[in-house]
Amino acid sequence: MTNEMNEVIRREEFGDVAVLHIMTNSVDAVSASAIEAVATATAMRPITVLDFANVSFINSAGISALLKFVVSAKKSGYTLYAMNVTPHHQKVFKMVEMSRYMPPIEERDLAAYR
Amino acid sequence: MTNEMNEVIRREEFGDVAVLHIMTNSVDAVSASAIEAVATATAMRPITVLDFANVSFINSAGISALLKFVVSAKKSGYTLYAMNVTPHHQKVFKMVEMSRYMPPIEERDLAAYR
Amino acid sequence: MQQVLVNIPSVPIFERVVRASADEVGRALGFSAERVEDLKLAVSEAVNNAIDHGNKRHPGKLVEVVFALHSDKLEVHVTDEGGGVETVDFSRKVVEDQNLDAGMHRGFGMYLISALVDDCEVNSSQSGTTLTLRLYRRSQDHDE
Amino acid sequence: MQQVLVNIPSVPIFERVVRASADEVGRALGFSAERVEDLKLAVSEAVNNAIDHGNKRHPGKLVEVVFALHSDKLEVHVTDEGGGVETVDFSRKVVEDQNLDAGMHRGFGMYLISALVDDCEVNSSQSGTTLTLRLYRRSQDHDE
Ligand SMILES: Nc1ncnc2c1ncn2[C@@H]1O[C@H](COP(=O)(O)OP(=O)(O)O)[C@@H](O)[C@H]1O
Ligand SMILES: Nc1ncnc2c1ncn2[C@@H]1O[C@H](COP(=O)(O)OP(=O)(O)O)[C@@H](O)[C@H]1O
């Protein structure tokens, strides 16, 4: 068991909000399975936010893991948001239209819920 | 000419103090000549501080470049200090007794001179 | 022409070694930070395809990556020891509702590669596949 | 046993490619952050010696680096195409006043290597030198 496995996502919850802080800097084929494992229906809240602040790399294996969160949110009728996405990854998310399923949200938009 | 060449060290001066902020993260065989080029007698002040805040790697080719600052300071009768050295590089500086020629100083020790 | 070669077993963790090498090669060529990210992502996709589809994650099969630094361009050749592929589809792929519902979350790799590099090319035979990526050097690039 | 191979021309900038690879290999083996830094520094010194003293910065001569991941240890073999070396001195070297005054600012590489890794070994002939570094795996290391 690696630290990456144990702590790939750190969960923060307040009110209707769950913020899922991704703790690995590389969302790739190696970290995908540990990330996917967190994308259960019970992890979702009406406002579920993936926080990419620590993430410096995402490839398509990583995107495929992230899409599990999109599916889980959809099943619950919730929306998923993305926070602290680098300009490069904003570009990549737009290329595959990921941004439609995971629109950006900012830290200050969440303040009202705290 | 690369940016690394142009901006390998950013100089800040106040009173008797010169702080030389190393701007490259790798003090190695590639950046050595640009770093050495700054180690002239005129660059020295009675208190000359090398700031390693941006530095994540130093090898012996880099140490050899840093020793030019030690020599220049010595010629002027000044002392050289090192600031924001990572624990790993503190260990390496001790191994080669570099720390004797470039003792650590902290940001707050400089406040009095500003 | 200078060449950097990286050779890895077909285990996903070693894709990170190639990616880190791509990062340093891109910087050495003076590519902008954004272009270095594009290069890393394209190389990452190519290596993962070589590991997964080419070598089928057989650790004994190797992926060879050659970074060829030409005066006018960087060429990256990613070669596997797989059974080859008839045609590769570089067309645009986006996330779609029906694919999500069907649990299909893959298929973006080749599109991303083709969109992120200036030029790419597949050469495949029964003894393996080579994907070549090309990034032309631009006047604003600066050698180290 | 898995092996990662990196091959570079004898140009200092490419030492950074090997160093970045060492970083990822060390992480893949679950080495602590401090041990990864030790590995990077030792590999960096070995590669720079191969470039400078072995291949005399002849860009056409290559430096080959093999990371051999054994179950009990990481072995790194750094090989150049130089004329070889009779004896290598791994003894402790420190900065000294008389050397500073004489402008002698080098000679720390071999000492650093020997102090940072668990074990090292030189094999040299007229056709080149191989420096082998060994870092034993510890119980607190964690595979990815
Ligand atoms: N190196 C390769 N060897 C064999 N087939 C390949 C190779 N690279 C790509 N392909 C084929 O191209 C397809 C599309 O690849 P890609 O767009 O990366 O999507 P994904 O890998 O998610 O399936 C793969 O499913 C595979 O059939
Ligand atoms: N790969 C090599 N080929 C030939 N000689 C070498 C090699 N590596 C080290 N040496 C010899 O060992 C000496 C000590 O190396 P080192 O401690 O790294 O100091 P420096 O490189 O600063 O001289 C070198 O000066 C050189 O004579």
Side-chain angles (χ1 to χ4, degrees):
Chain A
M1 268 293 192
T2 67
N3 285 332
E4 186 158 342
M5 281 296 216
N6 294 331
E7 276 227 316
V8 72
I9 287 189
R10 186 168 292 164
R11 190 188 163 80
E12 191 193 354
E13 195 170 323
F14 45 93
D16 275 350
V17 179
V19 183
L20 307 175
H21 304 283
I22 303 176
M23 303 308 289
T24 174
N25 56 24
S26 186
V27 178
D28 62 5
V30 179
S31 58
S33 58
I35 292 172
E36 280 180 21
V38 183
T40 57
T42 52
M44 301 293 134
R45 301 288 299 147
I47 298 173
T48 303
V49 181
L50 281 169
D51 177 10
F52 291 86
N54 299 311
V55 175
S56 57
F57 184 82
I58 308 175
N59 63 15
S60 73
I63 288 175
S64 141
L66 297 174
L67 287 174
K68 298 280 164 75
F69 289 88
V70 173
V71 171
S72 276
K74 222 179 154 203
K75 276 195 189 135
S76 314
Y78 299 157
T79 322
L80 193 66
Y81 297 91
M83 189 162 77
N84 298 317
V85 179
T86 66
H88 169 73
H89 294 130
Q90 287 177 29
K91 177 179 87 177
V92 174
F93 282 3
K94 273 196 197 110
M95 288 170 75
V96 299
E97 295 191 10
M98 181 83 160
S99 35
R100 282 212 294 141
Y101 295 86
M102 210 187 273
I105 198 167
E106 305 210 2
E107 193 77 59
R108 61 167 174 270
D109 300 327
L110 296 177
Y113 297 89
R114 289 198 188 252
Chain B
M1 269 293 193
T2 66
N3 285 332
E4 185 160 342
M5 280 298 217
N6 293 331
E7 276 226 315
V8 72
I9 287 189
R10 187 167 292 163
R11 192 188 161 80
E12 192 193 353
E13 196 172 322
F14 45 92
D16 275 350
V17 179
V19 183
L20 307 175
H21 304 282
I22 303 176
M23 303 308 288
T24 175
N25 56 24
S26 187
V27 177
D28 62 6
V30 179
S31 58
S33 57
I35 292 171
E36 279 180 21
V38 183
T40 57
T42 54
M44 301 294 135
R45 300 287 299 145
I47 298 172
T48 303
V49 181
L50 281 169
D51 177 10
F52 291 86
N54 298 311
V55 176
S56 57
F57 184 83
I58 307 174
N59 62 17
S60 73
I63 288 175
S64 142
L66 297 174
L67 287 175
K68 299 282 165 74
F69 289 88
V70 173
V71 171
S72 276
K74 221 178 153 204
K75 276 194 190 134
S76 314
Y78 299 157
T79 323
L80 193 67
Y81 297 91
M83 189 164 76
N84 296 317
V85 178
T86 66
H88 170 73
H89 293 129
Q90 286 176 30
K91 177 179 86 177
V92 174
F93 283 1
K94 273 197 197 110
M95 288 169 76
V96 299
E97 295 190 11
M98 181 83 160
S99 34
R100 281 211 295 141
Y101 296 86
M102 209 187 272
I105 198 167
E106 304 210 4
E107 193 79 60
R108 62 167 175 269
D109 300 326
L110 296 176
Y113 298 90
R114 289 199 188 251
Chain C
M1 195 262 294
Q2 292 175 334
Q3 231 175 248
V4 170
L5 183 148
V6 183
N7 204 302
I8 59 164
S10 294
V11 179
I13 189 101
F14 297 121
E15 175 270 312
R16 292 181 175 176
V17 174
V18 184
R19 194 199 306 164
S21 301
D23 188 284
E24 290 297 340
V25 168
R27 286 168 196 264
L29 289 169
F31 286 179
S32 70
E34 180 62 20
R35 208 156 181 233
V36 171
E37 290 308 314
D38 291 348
L39 169 65
K40 282 161 66 181
L41 179 49
V43 168
S44 170
E45 297 297 339
V47 170
N48 278 342
N49 279 346
I51 291 174
D52 287 347
H53 303 301
N55 294 342
K56 313 238 179 264
R57 296 211 180 185
H58 200 300
K61 293 195 171 175
L62 303 177
V63 177
E64 182 187 88
V65 182
V66 174
F67 297 93
L69 291 82
H70 301 273
S71 56
D72 63 329
K73 61 178 174 291
L74 169 66
E75 270 184 338
V76 189
H77 307 280
V78 179
T79 303
D80 62 50
E81 307 183 82
V85 57
E86 290 275 308
T87 50
V88 172
D89 178 6
F90 288 108
S91 67
R92 182 156 190 228
K93 302 284 172 2
V94 299
V95 183
E96 281 175 74
D97 284 311
Q98 69 254 39
N99 291 347
L100 280 181
D101 297 338
M104 284 165 55
H105 300 153
R106 301 207 46 171
F108 304 112
M110 283 295 173
Y111 155 57
L112 286 174
I113 292 173
S114 69
L116 292 168
V117 302
D118 293 324
D119 185 7
C120 64
E121 186 183 310
V122 183
N123 281 288
S124 198
S125 76
Q126 280 159 3
S127 58
T129 300
T130 297
L131 183 66
T132 298
L133 316 179
R134 290 190 193 90
L135 287 91
Y136 291 93
R137 300 185 69 169
R138 297 171 186 163
S139 49
Q140 66 268 37
D141 297 340
H142 296 279
D143 252 335
E144 276 289 333
Chain D
M1 196 261 295
Q2 291 175 337
Q3 233 176 246
V4 169
L5 184 147
V6 183
N7 206 302
I8 60 164
S10 295
V11 179
I13 190 104
F14 297 121
E15 175 269 313
R16 292 180 175 177
V17 174
V18 184
R19 192 199 308 164
S21 300
D23 187 284
E24 291 297 340
V25 168
R27 286 168 195 265
L29 289 170
F31 286 178
S32 70
E34 180 61 20
R35 208 157 181 231
V36 171
E37 290 309 313
D38 291 347
L39 170 65
K40 282 161 65 180
L41 179 48
V43 168
S44 170
E45 297 297 338
V47 170
N48 278 342
N49 279 346
I51 291 175
D52 286 347
H53 304 301
N55 294 342
K56 314 240 179 258
R57 295 212 182 185
H58 200 301
K61 292 195 173 175
L62 303 176
V63 178
E64 182 186 89
V65 182
V66 175
F67 297 92
L69 292 83
H70 301 273
S71 56
D72 63 330
K73 62 178 172 294
L74 169 67
E75 270 184 338
V76 189
H77 307 279
V78 179
T79 302
D80 61 52
E81 308 183 82
V85 58
E86 290 276 308
T87 49
V88 172
D89 177 6
F90 288 110
S91 67
R92 184 160 187 224
K93 303 281 173 2
V94 298
V95 183
E96 281 174 72
D97 284 310
Q98 69 253 39
N99 291 347
L100 280 181
D101 296 336
M104 283 164 55
H105 301 152
R106 302 206 47 172
F108 305 111
M110 282 296 171
Y111 155 57
L112 287 174
I113 291 173
S114 69
L116 292 168
V117 303
D118 293 324
D119 185 6
C120 65
E121 186 183 310
V122 184
N123 280 288
S124 198
S125 77
Q126 279 159 6
S127 58
T129 301
T130 296
L131 182 66
T132 298
L133 317 178
R134 290 190 193 91
L135 288 91
Y136 291 93
R137 301 186 69 171
R138 297 172 185 162
S139 50
Q140 66 268 37
D141 298 340
H142 296 279
D143 253 335
E144 276 288 333

